[in-house]
Amino acid sequence: MADITRRLGWRHLRGTPTAHVRHHRSGTLVHDGPGLSFWFRPLTAALSEIPVDDRELAMTFHARTRDFQDVSVQATVTYRIADPAVAAARLDFSVDPDTGAWRGTPLEQLGTLLTETAQQHALDVLARTALAAALTDGVAVVRERLAAGLAAEPRLPATGIEVVAVRVMALRPEPEVERALRTPAREQIQQEADRATYERRAVAVERERAIAENELASRIELARREEQLVEQRGTNARREAEEQAAADAVRAQAEAARTVKLSEAEATRSVKLAEAEAARSLKLAEAEAARTARLGEAEAARTAATARAEAEGARVVGEARAQAQAAWLRVHAEAGVDGAETLRALTATRLAENLPRIDSVTVSPDVLTGLLARLAPGVTE
């Protein structure tokens, strides 16, 4: 579609290289060609835009074969407008001067023309062809017939159209017929598959048999080797028992000899210890006796010395006491004290010396009164 812009009542058209533009002003052709760019007035201009590039037209239609079977045809026609002036004269390619859009539908008209023309030639060739032949060689046949028919069609050059290429993609029957046609091939494929399955099963059975035979042979060989192993284990056990018995005998003899030697050594050591203990006891007894004798002598000497010291002390004390008592008596005699009174005082003194120690004396009023009463007559006398 052409690009049209507005400027103060004027219009500017800018085309593309694949679009042929024809500009008439007041019935006169002013501009004609692809990729143009020019100013025009919309009130006096008549514009046509014809595409000149290659275009693809896909078409699908149904046809009937010679054996009255319906098939669908998928084809594509590549065409282009070779003569834009003729095409613009035969079809409406005029564009709106304000928007640049086509006023009509020229490409749809071209598509309808090409589709109907191609369908006519395809129906003609398929109507004389059987279904099996159509499915086998129908694509090439239909393609050649469409190319030849479109090239010989006089209306296409009269409209300025040139057919570039024709392609037929598929010829397909109805789904039910297609399934029916596939059945023999499927059956054959299934038979081949079944035969392959049977052969595979036979091979598997043969292999399983060979595997079973190998397993049986392996079990027999394993049982024989186990028997040999059991015999060898028995032989080894007997040999080990004999060697163990011999070792035990040697060990017992060695243990007995060692025990005898230990017993002899222990007896010798015990005798030596007894002799040493007897000698040590004898020495200890002799030492204890000597120590006891020395202690007895020392104790006797100490006792004698103590006795002599005590006797001497007693003698000295007695002499001192006698001297003190004599002096005491002499003093009392010199003082004119009666001898009886002096003896009583001395007796009281001796009694007081032999009495136990008295820490405290409690004198009651009765005792004090009695004493005072007994002392009062003496005082009076």
Side-chain angles (χ1 to χ4, degrees):
M1 184 176 65
D3 184 13
I4 297 177
T5 57
R6 300 181 181 184
R7 292 291 186 276
L8 300 176
W10 287 82
R11 303 289 187 273
H12 182 270
L13 183 144
R14 183 176 58 195
T16 60
T18 59
H20 189 97
V21 178
R22 293 172 60 85
H23 174 209
H24 292 79
R25 184 172 57 199
S26 300
T28 304
L29 182 62
V30 180
H31 298 93
D32 185 16
L36 298 180
S37 178
F38 54 86
W39 291 91
F40 66 92
R41 296 181 62 85
L43 296 178
T44 60
L47 302 174
S48 298
E49 184 182 13
I50 303 95
V52 294
D53 56 337
D54 292 347
R55 293 181 173 268
E56 302 285 340
L57 177 63
M59 58 186 69
T60 301
F61 52 88
H62 290 271
R64 181 171 294 181
T65 61
R66 186 179 61 185
D67 46 2
F68 305 102
Q69 297 297 325
D70 191 14
V71 294
S72 59
V73 181
Q74 296 179 0
T76 300
V77 176
T78 302
Y79 70 96
R80 66 185 181 90
I81 299 176
D83 192 348
V86 175
R90 300 295 299 270
L91 299 174
D92 185 11
F93 284 96
S94 62
V95 298
D96 190 342
D98 292 328
T99 62
W102 277 318
R103 297 179 183 273
T105 56
L107 296 181
E108 293 182 3
Q109 295 177 5
L110 286 177
T112 302
L113 174 62
L114 290 172
T115 300
E116 291 178 352
T117 304
Q119 185 175 359
Q120 177 181 356
H121 294 287
L123 292 176
D124 183 49
V125 68
L126 288 175
R128 296 191 299 270
T129 306
L131 177 62
L135 295 178
T136 304
D137 303 324
V139 173
V141 173
V142 172
R143 182 178 62 252
E144 293 175 358
R145 180 59 183 274
L146 289 179
L150 292 175
E153 180 66 29
R155 187 179 175 184
L156 297 180
T159 315
I161 300 173
E162 179 184 356
V163 177
V164 178
V166 177
R167 299 187 301 277
V168 177
M169 279 73 70
L171 276 175
R172 291 185 177 178
E174 294 181 350
E176 295 81 2
V177 177
E178 187 174 5
R179 284 194 295 269
L181 292 175
R182 289 177 179 176
T183 300
R186 288 183 177 181
E187 290 294 335
Q188 185 176 0
I189 294 172
Q190 187 64 38
Q191 291 176 3
E192 294 292 335
D194 293 341
R195 184 167 56 255
T197 302
Y198 297 150
E199 291 177 356
R200 185 171 61 254
R201 288 180 180 178
V203 172
V205 170
E206 183 65 23
R207 290 180 179 177
E208 288 179 358
R209 185 183 62 79
I211 292 172
E213 291 179 355
N214 292 333
E215 289 180 353
L216 182 60
S218 300
R219 290 179 181 178
I220 294 173
E221 181 65 21
L222 182 60
R224 187 178 62 81
R225 292 186 179 181
E226 287 181 354
E227 182 179 359
Q228 294 177 357
L229 180 61
V230 170
E231 292 178 357
Q232 186 64 34
R233 284 180 177 175
T235 303
N236 294 338
R238 287 193 299 272
R239 184 179 302 171
E240 184 177 359
E242 293 174 357
E243 293 179 355
Q244 185 68 27
D248 291 342
V250 174
R251 191 181 299 108
Q253 293 176 0
E255 186 68 22
R258 188 176 67 84
T259 304
V260 170
K261 291 181 180 180
L262 289 176
S263 299
E264 293 175 354
E266 184 67 22
T268 304
R269 188 175 66 84
S270 299
V271 170
K272 291 181 179 180
L273 289 176
E275 293 176 353
E277 184 67 23
R280 188 175 65 82
S281 299
L282 181 58
K283 290 180 181 181
L284 289 176
E286 293 176 352
E288 184 66 24
R291 188 176 66 83
T292 302
R294 289 194 299 271
L295 288 177
E297 293 175 357
E299 184 65 24
R302 188 179 64 80
T303 302
T306 301
R308 286 194 299 270
E310 288 180 355
E312 184 66 25
R315 185 182 63 79
V316 173
V317 171
E319 290 178 356
R321 284 182 178 179
Q323 293 176 3
Q325 288 179 0
W328 186 72
L329 290 174
R330 188 171 57 252
V331 171
H332 280 80
E334 291 176 356
V337 179
D338 189 6
E341 292 294 334
T342 300
L343 291 175
R344 284 195 296 270
L346 182 59
T347 301
T349 299
R350 291 285 184 256
L351 180 62
E353 289 178 356
N354 295 320
L355 287 176
R357 182 180 178 183
I358 301 174
D359 293 332
S360 61
V361 177
T362 303
V363 180
S364 63
D366 296 337
V367 175
L368 185 60
T369 302
L371 290 175
L372 290 177
R374 293 174 64 184
L375 292 175
V379 176
T380 304
E381 292 178 357

